[in-house]
Amino acid sequence: MNKLVAIGITSALLAACASAPQRSDSIDQARTQIQTLSADPLAHQAAASDLQSAQARLQDAEAAQAQKRPPAEVDHFAYLALRHAEAGEARVEAAHAQAEVARAQDQRTNIVLAARASEADNAKAQLAQTQQELADLKAKQTDRGMVVTLGDVLFDTGQATLKPGADLTLDHLAHYMRDNPHTRILVEGFTDSVGSDAYNDALSQRRADAVAGALVRRGLPEDAVRAVGRGKSFPVATNDTSAGRQQNRRVEIVFSDAGGRFAQSNDSDIIRR
Amino acid sequence: MLRLTLIGTAGACALLAGCASEGPQPTAQLATARTLVAQADKSPAQRYAAADLQRAHDELSAAETADGQRKFNDARSLAESAAADADVAVARGQAGEAQRAAHEVAQGNASLRSESERAAAASSPPPAPAPSEPPASQTDPH
């Protein structure tokens, strides 16, 4: 203001020495910059005061030019106008970038939610598959956990060699164990009451070992499976009939939970890990 | 440069013509310029608008010099320019910082997206085996 007053007082003198032709390049440049800025809708929020200052300095420059002030003075005001407009443009760019950040953060939320939903779907599908596999194995839920019973038709009488008919069931088992890598199994052999305890204990142990070995050959880690012979203890049917005895000659597979824990682990010499 | 030359020329012209009429000492303009330049120094302007910041510094020191020589018109004009340039530096620093943040978030999203796509592909269950009858599993457990 003071400057303008001072300039006003001496305008006649200055006009005498400011003989340069009327140039308006700097004014044009500032005006263009201001027009660009005000064309952006965001400018009126993000850079309102810059826009205002730029327009005020542009008016100063135009007034100086109209009053035939020295070009340096016109250029000075035009320069200030230009720089205010440029500062405003930078503030508009910052506002655009901040809006972009906000949009990207929304997107991030959506990506995370979608990933969680897909994880949940996968977990559901995995569970359904596991249940289907157990159903295929005709697993029964007991108080010892899930149990699959392999009947004695898997073995010849008095023998512990698995017959080819066992392959499909063993494949199912191995597949199930691959899908549930933390599950462990206990393979228990049982016989009927024919023969001595020692004979039956040994036979049931060899049959359990044969099943466990067949599973290990199918890729089961050795520490995921434990075989034990139970002999003629724990019959599931009468030993007085041949049908009952056939039911008692069997191999049972007890599954741990998904974390490797068995439902009944008090039998510590068998399920010792 | 051209502008400074013009100011110089105008000053010289004024002195030579004897039409120099110095306004009052631009104390307020100098104070404003010092404040804005100091703010710009503390902002990310150095990284994103080094040329603007340097220009503001040069103009401020030229303004101080002119003020010391009692060339108050030059000092005022230079101080005003220094203030405007420091403000441009601050604004461009803010813009640069905001754009960097936007770029980072976008990159983070891209890697998060491909990560979760990989995870989805890895954890989708293999096809279930064809249900078939196990040959012997007919007896009940005890």
Side-chain angles (χ1 to χ4, degrees):
Chain A
M1 255 334 120
N2 290 336
K3 184 180 189 177
L4 284 175
V5 172
I7 286 163
I9 292 166
T10 60
S11 62
L13 289 171
L14 280 170
C17 32
S19 56
Q22 285 217 351
R23 285 179 55 245
S24 59
D25 281 2
S26 59
I27 288 181
D28 288 347
Q29 205 188 343
R31 198 179 283 130
T32 305
Q33 187 69 36
I34 291 169
Q35 280 166 354
T36 307
L37 176 63
S38 64
D40 193 317
L42 251 183
H44 302 275
Q45 304 157 27
S49 78
D50 295 314
L51 195 53
Q52 213 178 346
S53 304
Q55 279 160 342
R57 295 293 82 76
L58 180 64
Q59 280 169 11
D60 289 347
E62 286 165 345
Q65 192 190 31
Q67 292 163 19
K68 304 201 189 309
R69 315 289 307 165
E73 210 176 299
V74 174
D75 286 346
H76 175 61
F77 287 127
Y79 179 73
L80 295 180
L82 177 72
R83 293 301 260 171
H84 282 305
E86 285 176 345
E89 195 184 1
R91 292 200 169 89
V92 168
E93 281 170 15
H96 278 300
Q98 281 158 2
E100 214 173 292
V101 167
R103 271 197 304 278
Q105 277 164 345
D106 283 352
Q107 274 177 4
R108 182 188 174 80
T109 308
N110 289 338
I111 294 167
V112 170
L113 289 178
R116 273 191 210 144
S118 140
E119 262 170 49
D121 285 351
N122 283 340
K124 230 182 278 178
Q126 191 80 47
L127 183 64
Q129 191 188 342
T130 295
Q131 285 166 344
Q132 182 57 47
E133 284 170 357
L134 281 174
D136 289 347
L137 290 164
K138 300 208 167 165
K140 301 279 194 307
Q141 182 64 52
T142 72
D143 54 3
R144 296 187 299 153
M146 297 301 290
V147 174
V148 169
T149 300
L150 311 177
D152 88 326
V153 295
L154 297 183
F155 300 97
D156 284 324
T157 308
Q159 296 299 304
T161 308
L162 278 162
K163 295 205 278 195
D167 283 347
L168 193 55
T169 304
L170 292 170
D171 288 345
H172 275 308
L173 271 172
H175 192 274
Y176 174 81
M177 294 300 282
R178 257 201 304 282
D179 287 348
N180 297 273
H182 300 294
T183 300
R184 293 192 310 219
I185 52 174
L186 178 64
V187 180
E188 297 179 307
F190 300 89
T191 63
D192 58 27
S193 61
V194 178
S196 70
D197 281 357
Y199 170 80
N200 282 314
D201 284 352
L203 178 62
S204 65
Q205 180 71 55
R206 280 190 288 130
R207 285 184 167 181
D209 286 343
V211 170
L215 289 172
V216 169
R217 277 195 297 282
R218 281 168 171 77
L220 225 68
E222 285 190 41
D223 62 355
V225 51
R226 182 67 50 111
V228 63
R230 301 287 200 194
K232 56 187 170 188
S233 347
F234 310 108
V236 291
T238 177
N239 278 306
D240 296 341
T241 65
S242 76
R245 284 194 295 278
Q246 189 188 32
Q247 271 182 273
N248 289 335
R249 295 191 297 271
R250 69 199 190 275
V251 170
E252 290 183 3
I253 291 166
V254 184
F255 291 84
S256 76
D257 65 12
R261 287 173 300 274
F262 287 92
Q264 288 179 2
S265 55
N266 49 348
D267 196 351
S268 59
D269 75 322
I270 294 161
I271 313 172
R272 187 175 50 231
R273 302 290 182 212
Chain B
M1 258 328 121
L2 173 66
R3 196 178 45 78
L4 289 174
T5 313
L6 287 172
I7 290 171
T9 312
C13 169
L15 284 171
L16 284 171
C19 52
S21 172
E22 293 292 347
Q25 192 166 13
T27 315
Q29 286 87 342
L30 280 165
T32 303
R34 281 188 208 109
T35 305
L36 285 176
V37 169
Q39 273 176 10
D41 278 337
K42 279 183 265 172
S43 79
Q46 184 63 54
R47 198 181 318 162
Y48 298 101
D52 296 312
L53 186 58
Q54 186 57 50
R55 185 169 195 162
H57 273 285
D58 291 348
E59 285 161 338
L60 179 57
S61 60
E64 308 265 21
T65 304
D67 187 56
Q69 294 167 350
R70 306 193 69 75
K71 296 177 184 167
F72 294 146
N73 287 349
D74 285 356
R76 180 181 302 104
S77 168
L78 285 162
E80 285 170 351
S81 295
D85 289 333
D87 189 44
V88 170
V90 168
R92 288 187 170 159
Q94 287 167 344
E97 200 62 23
Q99 283 161 349
R100 187 191 56 76
H103 182 68
E104 265 178 26
V105 180
Q107 264 191 335
N109 279 2
S111 65
L112 189 65
R113 195 177 286 125
S114 64
E115 200 178 292
S116 69
E117 275 164 11
R118 258 202 313 281
S123 70
S124 66
S132 51
E133 202 63 12
S137 48
Q138 66 277 63
T139 44
D140 283 336
H142 40 216

